Amino acid sequence: MANGRVVQTADRTIGSRQLAALLPAEVLARPGYRSLAEAVRTLILDGRIALHVRLPAERELAEAVGASRATVTGAYDLLRESGYVRSRRGSGTWTELPDGHRPVGAHALVGAGGYSADGEPGIDLAIAAMGAPHGALADALSWAAPRLPDAARSPGYHPFGLPDLRTAVAERFTRRGLPTRPEQILVTSGAQQAFTLVVSLLCRAGDRVVTENPTYANALDALRHARLRTGSIAVSDTGWDMEIAESMLRQTVPRLAYAIPDFHNPTGALMPEDQRLRLLAVTRRTGTWLVVDETIADIALDVPAPAPLASLAPRGGADHVVTIGSLSKTHWGGLRVGWIRATAKMITELTALRVSADMTGSVLDQLVALRLLDGMDRTLPARLDQLRERRAALVDALGRHTPEWSWRIPPGGLSLWVDLGEPVSSALAERAAAAGVHIGRGARFGVDPGTFEHRLRLPYTLPADRLDEGVRRLAAAFHDGVPLPPSVDRPHWVA
């Protein structure tokens, strides 16, 4: 699959034209062996080329990219030396990762940790999530503990989710303006599992889907692994280009559209009501399933929390909308509890699919989630106050250390989408890693390769002193010779 989609064919081979289609335009315009090697390495690290896939023969790739065979040979040599490919006589050249590197996506879950080259503690500015709210988790565990023995009298398999939790989630949707019955709720192991289940049920390899661009990186990974053809709708600091969105949906008639209308990740934008109505209408006309990601919808810092997008549809007009959410952003990512809201029929189909993967969720986690959800209206305001303070601290740190960067303050969400002013995001990520700071480089959120190299996503979820120190180290890395020359033999973090 080309143009930013993952390539993983049945025989584990990527063709020369497929690979050429994934390469950035500047590499194709002036193909040098170092820039070609760097581009292929980035595609491997981002998961756009899967691991253990055979690359094209040198002569074929040279013809496809308009370079000499010596250029391709030099690029493959660099990739072999740095551990990103291996070659066997008569078998070809295959992708892999060097020792010590984690697969795409895994590093973001581990965090920066460790120390900088100077022995300073690491700072994670890539994960947009907070620790659990003070006291709430302990209270929920104390509440759940005496109820666990009663729950343990049953076999413990609840593939749809605990009935009480399904009811609580449904009631919360109803209070927010979207009447919902418990049979319309499936409890999942987080929102990522929810999205993966929906994609697995509704799509087949080769189907066309549409996402925002930029968008949530892990959702992009799920679409790539499902081998779907991805089109994109531009989202800027000022919002969605709905004219292009409607045109694309009418012309391509995608199977599924994925949107984050509430404090969009990573831009923080909030979709206006008129655009929500247009998105509902056009996806209904084209027969496109609309998957709405509400994982950040409650992180409303400067505006009232938005109503569910599906609540704007006329009666019976939102059956094509699937809404997913979780407690990861409002409470704690370590509590793997999410949900899907859809028609009762689809929930039954999704549950049958879910059983083939993990049978059921943790009963203890769901009991804890039930208590947290019931007390959410009491605990969330203090959480939002803390985020407002930390957002102000990040803005202050950026203003003092990197005044040449620019950003908009979003009305909600967990991060700033920072414009560096020059396309050095990946290079800066490498320098920052050496300083013990892990960052979400812009390209990780782009549908197409090489995009958003001038952007960083910086969350304001750490304490103020850690944010200030992280930005100080970022500024030092930025002012110390960025952009870096391409190199595939320099150790770096995997985003």
Side-chain angles (χ1 to χ4, degrees), residues 160-188 294 298 308 323-327 337-342 347 365-376:
F160 287 91
L162 285 182
D164 287 350
L165 182 56
R166 296 178 75 196
T167 298
V169 173
E171 288 177 349
R172 183 165 181 81
F173 271 113
T174 300
R175 289 197 303 273
R176 295 175 58 220
L178 180 60
T180 303
R181 304 183 308 277
E183 56 265 34
Q184 292 180 270
I185 300 297
L186 169 62
V187 178
T188 62
E294 278 198 344
D298 288 304
T323 305
I324 62 177
S326 80
L327 292 178
V337 175
W339 50 81
I340 302 171
R341 191 244 182 231
I347 290 299
D365 284 4
Q366 291 181 70
L367 285 171
V368 171
L370 177 59
R371 178 65 170 180
L372 292 174
L373 198 62
D374 285 344
M376 187 169 170

Side-chain angles (χ1 to χ4, degrees), residues 68-90:
S68 68
R69 183 174 179 179
T71 295
V72 177
T73 299
Y76 279 12
D77 285 344
L78 278 179
L79 290 166
R80 271 190 293 270
E81 291 168 8
S82 55
Y84 288 92
V85 302
R86 56 180 171 82
S87 298
R88 295 195 305 268
R89 185 177 296 277

